[in-house]
Amino acid sequence: PGPQSRGGSEIGTEMKKFVHWILSALGYSVYTCAVLFFLLWFLFPAESVRVWLQAQLDRLNPALSWEIDELRVAWPLSVVARDIQAKQIDGGDLLMDVNEVKFRPNIKGLTRVRQEWPVSYQVKFLDGAVNGVAALDRDQPKVKCSGEMKDLQIGGLEGIWQQMGRSGSGTLSGPFSYEGELPELLSGDLQADLIVKNGSIELLQPVMGLENLSFNQLTASLSLEDRVMTITGGEMDSNLFAADFGGTITLTDNLLGSGLDISGTFEPRPELMGGLKDPAVMQLIKGQLRDNKLNFQLSDTLLAPGMLFQGTSGVIDGILQGSGR
């Protein structure tokens, strides 16, 4: 045979080796997946993992007691926890009820499996869902996750609203990302852009005749670093008023005791001014408006926030001062 024939033969041999390698790799991958499926589906210690998860959740916050009603495997290669409840140890009040949490391996993150455990997750609760990805470091107690909240009904957090002594409602959505170290989750870094639609927050004392802050939409960007939550670009739109705000919340282990330092402007609309029954209050507000707005400040704590209005002459006395808890 001539040189050309020998060259073609060598190319054919190399091609056969390449095809053989591909088939071997595919066969090994199929075998590995089959073994993982068998171990996960038939040998998964669901009860032991359920008890372990409850203990880990309790360790994250000793003030809460967690219960997982059921843990099982599901297709494809998923672990599902159902009916998860968080209760206060003192009093046993139900703070959160999660319908379902589903985890499965994050295929896109398998290249980092030597450094971390990558998973995709879906959480169903508050008549909405949270979908995203997470990773737990294999050598250190570090966790990172990102995701998207969609149509969470915050009125369903009845236990938390009861602790605050007021009611609230609204539909919460938006993306977020978090990176921190267990168990000090409040010391981690969080970024989120939130939207709350068709919301309402009950006021313990009326503000300008309002017993509830009902709004069409609230938007804000949140940034958490070293237990300080920074709020930027806050806007609230209502048929009765418009407001913009920003500031910080200094988080404590008891979240309701977290300190507030938030300021902004409040613009009463004609519909609100027309509903005021006291002419003196109406004249007071009109006389203090600057560019049709009042400045306000929120202080104290999440549990008992204080609101202070300022107009053209400073702090507004009378019915507005100190109201709005």
Side-chain angles (χ1 to χ4, degrees), residues 24-319:
S24 298
L26 288 175
Y28 181 75
S29 299
V30 171
Y31 171 78
T32 302
C33 291
V35 171
L36 287 174
F37 174 78
F38 176 81
L39 293 175
L40 181 62
W41 194 267
F42 295 102
L43 302 180
F44 183 72
E47 183 60 22
S48 299
V49 175
R50 184 186 70 83
V51 173
W52 178 81
L53 280 176
Q54 286 184 168
Q56 296 306 307
L57 291 171
D58 290 342
R59 187 171 66 89
L60 287 177
N61 192 333
L64 298 180
S65 174
W66 291 81
E67 295 181 6
I68 302 174
D69 183 66
E70 178 188 4
L71 189 74
R72 61 182 177 83
V73 293
W75 179 260
L77 294 177
S78 300
V79 177
V80 178
R82 294 181 57 83
D83 297 328
I84 305 169
Q85 294 185 342
K87 298 180 180 180
Q88 275 193 310
I89 290 182
D90 298 333
D93 294 332
L94 179 63
L95 295 183
M96 184 178 297
D97 189 357
V98 179
N99 303 104
E100 180 181 284
V101 179
K102 178 183 289 187
F103 292 97
R104 61 181 175 83
N106 178 18
I107 303 300
K108 294 182 179 180
L110 290 181
T111 55
R112 303 187 305 275
V113 74
R114 291 187 177 182
Q115 293 80 37
E116 59 190 23
W117 298 106
V119 297
S120 298
Y121 66 88
Q122 180 184 66
V123 183
K124 295 181 179 179
F125 76 125
L126 299 178
D127 296 326
V130 182
N131 295 280
V133 295
L136 181 65
D137 194 288
R138 296 185 62 165
D139 299 322
Q140 303 179 60
K142 293 183 178 180
V143 63
K144 58 183 178 182
C145 65
S146 60
E148 181 89 19
M149 296 177 288
K150 186 175 181 180
D151 298 336
L152 302 183
Q153 304 300 316
I154 60 177
L157 297 171
E158 296 177 355
I160 295 177
W161 290 115
Q162 288 176 3
Q163 283 197 345
M164 297 178 68
R166 67 182 77 219
S167 62
S169 63
T171 302
L172 171 65
S173 301
F176 67 92
S177 63
Y178 173 83
E179 185 170 351
E181 186 169 329
L182 301 174
E184 297 295 329
L185 294 177
L186 294 181
S187 299
D189 296 330
L190 170 72
Q191 302 290 330
D193 295 312
L194 306 182
I195 299 177
V196 181
K197 295 183 178 181
N198 301 320
S200 178
I201 302 174
E202 180 184 4
L203 299 174
L204 301 187
Q205 298 178 23
V207 174
M208 299 186 190
L210 297 175
E211 296 183 354
N212 294 276
L213 285 181
S214 297
F215 53 89
N216 302 322
Q217 181 169 289
L218 182 153
T219 60
S221 294
L222 308 182
S223 177
L224 173 64
E225 185 176 0
D226 294 331
R227 286 180 171 255
V228 177
M229 180 81 73
T230 302
I231 303 173
T232 57
E235 295 183 357
M236 181 182 289
D237 180 71
S238 167
N239 295 333
L240 300 178
F241 62 89
D244 61 74
F245 58 92
T248 61
I249 303 175
T250 303
L251 301 181
T252 62
D253 290 335
N254 175 14
L255 289 179
L256 294 182
S258 300
L260 295 177
D261 185 9
I262 296 174
S263 58
T265 63
F266 183 91
E267 180 182 357
R269 288 180 169 156
E271 292 82 357
L272 175 59
M273 300 296 290
L276 293 175
K277 298 180 180 180
D278 190 334
V281 174
M282 183 184 299
Q283 291 302 316
L284 170 66
I285 296 173
K286 287 184 176 181
Q288 293 295 319
L289 292 176
R290 178 180 295 165
D291 297 328
N292 295 320
K293 299 177 181 179
L294 296 173
N295 294 325
F296 73 87
Q297 184 171 12
L298 288 174
S299 58
D300 298 332
T301 66
L302 282 173
L303 180 62
M307 178 179 286
L308 191 67
F309 284 95
Q310 291 186 335
T312 56
S313 62
V315 175
I316 299 177
D317 297 324
I319 193 171

